[in-house]
Amino acid sequence: MENEIRQQIDALRVDILAALAAASDATALEEVRLAYFSKNGKIAPVMEKVGAAPKELRPVLGRLVNEFKGIVNGAFEEKKNALAASAETAGIDATLPGRPVPVGSLHPIYAARDRAIEIFRRLGFALAEGPDVETEYYNFDALNTPPDHPARNEGDTFYLADRSLKLAAGGKEGRLLLRTQTSPVQIRVMEGLGAAGKTPPVRIVAPGRCYRRDEIDATHGIAFHQMEGLVVDEGVSLADLKGTLELFFRELLGEDLRFRFRPHFFPFTEPSFEVDASRPGNQVKGKEWLEICGCGMVHPKVLRNAGIDPERYTGFAFGFGIERIAMMVHQVNDLRLFGENDVRLLRQLSPKV
Ligand code: DAH
């Protein structure tokens, strides 16, 4: 008796699983349901037999039946769900290309910055940074810029009213301001070296945002980006400065670039220069020569202010505007275009991601 029922249940399970596997749509599934699972289906009589079996067999048969029902009901539900899911995707051609999802891209200013960092990295420069909110000390005094220098004028620099921020900026003397240049990073890097018990060589570039109360026009904004460079070591000379900058700008803007190192004045370098570049056949604003960079040999006072012995070490420094570089790369003649968030311009100038 027990064996007979066991065999029937086994056979039924095999049949049902085969029928379910063969059912390829909802109609076929309904046929399987009627044939096996309904009141008049093939499962019912077997269950009746189990019900009529002698009492002592019930526990064994009950377990058998539960297991059987678990399997066939589970398989039925699974098939039902699978058919419903495939009905939902019916008519969808999975081989068609998908709808494009708009992806962002790097802003041309930041793409130019990254390109510059990449070139300097190959030349052995490390990346450094400093805060946008600076103290007067780092932005001016430590850089040998005296209190009566015009750049320190209220009309040229954004001073902050809140003195409680002073500590966050480093705790050095003076009012807080939005840095007018990335040059204070030079001081922070050299001071950091001493604080860490290290000595030169130093070779860093420091990109970042700067702020000036400038009249806004095609080549000036009140917030813009600069990249600062500093090299300090024994025996660093003007030849190193020229070689480094020429190599960098040629790599960035083209092999055929020509240079002019024009004597200039910066308080923190001596001698100081402005670098003009010209690209044959490529005039910007009708001018052949375009100023692209300020530079010079680090002033001994600046080294001393930052705790470095100027008798032993020399260095060069430079700073250039990243907007200016992006303008040259893309031949854009008005820097305000970069800040307008016009996706047409961004799409045209940004490298594809
Ligand atoms: N900080 C200068 C400026 O904003 C640029 C500059 C000139 C940086 C000469 C330097 C330098 O490091 O040596 O105009």
Side-chain angles (χ1 to χ4, degrees):
M1 174 88 181
E2 184 196 333
N3 273 346
E4 189 195 326
I5 294 183
R6 193 186 283 275
Q7 276 168 14
Q8 283 180 351
I9 289 181
D10 279 348
L12 207 50
R13 193 190 61 234
V14 172
D15 286 354
I16 292 173
L17 293 181
L20 283 174
S24 58
D25 57 20
T27 320
L29 187 68
E30 178 61 8
E31 277 167 17
V32 176
R33 194 187 68 78
L34 288 173
Y36 294 97
F37 294 87
S38 68
K39 220 195 261 174
N40 301 319
K42 290 181 183 168
I43 295 177
V46 180
M47 293 305 127
E48 261 166 44
K49 264 190 203 169
V50 172
K55 240 191 173 140
E56 63 273 20
L57 286 181
R58 295 242 184 100
V60 182
L61 292 177
R63 219 177 303 126
L64 217 59
V65 164
N66 281 341
E67 193 193 337
F68 164 79
K69 282 189 174 168
I71 292 173
V72 294
N73 288 341
F76 184 87
E77 285 303 313
E78 207 174 284
K79 188 71 186 190
K80 201 167 104 184
N81 292 338
L83 288 177
S86 71
E88 269 172 25
T89 55
I92 293 178
D93 183 350
T95 64
L96 285 175
R99 285 200 197 105
V101 179
V103 237
S105 57
L106 265 192
H107 190 279
I109 299 295
Y110 286 86
R113 175 200 64 182
D114 289 356
R115 173 99 181 90
I117 291 173
E118 190 189 302
I119 298 170
F120 279 118
R121 201 165 258 160
R122 292 213 308 270
L123 294 174
F125 284 72
L127 205 55
E129 52 177 13
D132 287 22
V133 175
E134 263 299 1
T135 62
E136 249 181 319
Y137 174 78
Y138 283 109
N139 198 78
F140 295 124
D141 299 284
L143 289 162
N144 197 32
T145 308
D148 58 354
H149 193 280
R152 300 181 68 143
N153 196 304
E154 295 274 348
D156 289 328
T157 297
F158 294 106
Y159 287 92
L160 274 69
D162 188 352
R163 293 180 142 264
S164 65
L165 288 169
K166 192 161 141 182
L167 273 179
K172 290 271 182 174
E173 295 296 300
R175 287 179 292 175
L176 284 176
L177 45 81
L178 294 179
R179 67 176 172 193
T180 61
Q181 49 186 355
T182 43
S183 303
V185 185
Q186 291 187 29
I187 307 298
R188 291 181 173 275
V189 166
M190 290 190 281
E191 277 186 358
L193 206 67
K198 295 183 185 157
T199 54
V202 174
R203 203 180 291 153
I204 58 104
V205 281
R209 200 168 294 169
C210 304
Y211 308 82
R212 285 182 203 174
R213 290 180 69 156
D214 272 336
E215 212 54 69
I216 297 173
D217 64 21
T219 49
H220 297 87
I222 54 168
F224 57 101
H225 298 78
Q226 280 191 339
M227 184 171 281
E228 191 77 16
L230 174 70
V231 172
V232 180
D233 202 353
E234 287 179 22
V236 173
S237 75
L238 192 54
D240 298 315
L241 164 62
K242 279 191 80 181
T244 305
L245 285 182
E246 289 189 9
L247 196 147
F248 166 73
F249 282 113
R250 285 213 171 98
E251 187 77 14
L252 188 71
L253 299 170
E255 276 304 313
D256 52 358
L257 212 63
R258 290 190 302 140
F259 298 95
R260 213 162 61 172
F261 282 72
R262 211 165 13 85
H264 197 74
F265 173 78
F266 295 106
F268 35 87
T269 42
E270 179 58 34
S272 307
F273 303 90
E274 260 186 351
V275 185
D276 297 338
S278 136
R279 203 156 36 175
N282 179 8
Q283 299 199 341
V284 182
K285 292 195 293 183
K287 287 197 289 187
E288 189 193 347
W289 293 97
L290 199 73
E291 267 170 53
I292 52 170
C293 183
C295 63
M297 300 305 292
V298 182
H299 198 294
K301 275 193 190 163
V302 172
L303 292 174
R304 203 173 296 118
N305 286 342
I308 288 183
D309 178 7
E311 297 299 325
R312 176 160 178 203
Y313 296 105
T314 51
F316 67 78
F318 55 88
F320 57 86
I322 300 177
E323 276 80 357
R324 185 64 68 93
I325 301 297
M327 285 169 84
M328 280 187 87
V329 169
H330 297 297
Q331 313 214 4
V332 167
N333 56 13
D334 190 330
L335 124 184
R336 287 168 292 196
L337 288 168
F338 288 127
E340 283 176 352
N341 265 345
D342 186 335
V343 279
R344 290 171 306 175
L345 176 104
L346 301 178
R347 228 175 246 145
Q348 195 181 328
L349 302 187
S350 296
K352 299 284 168 282
V353 273

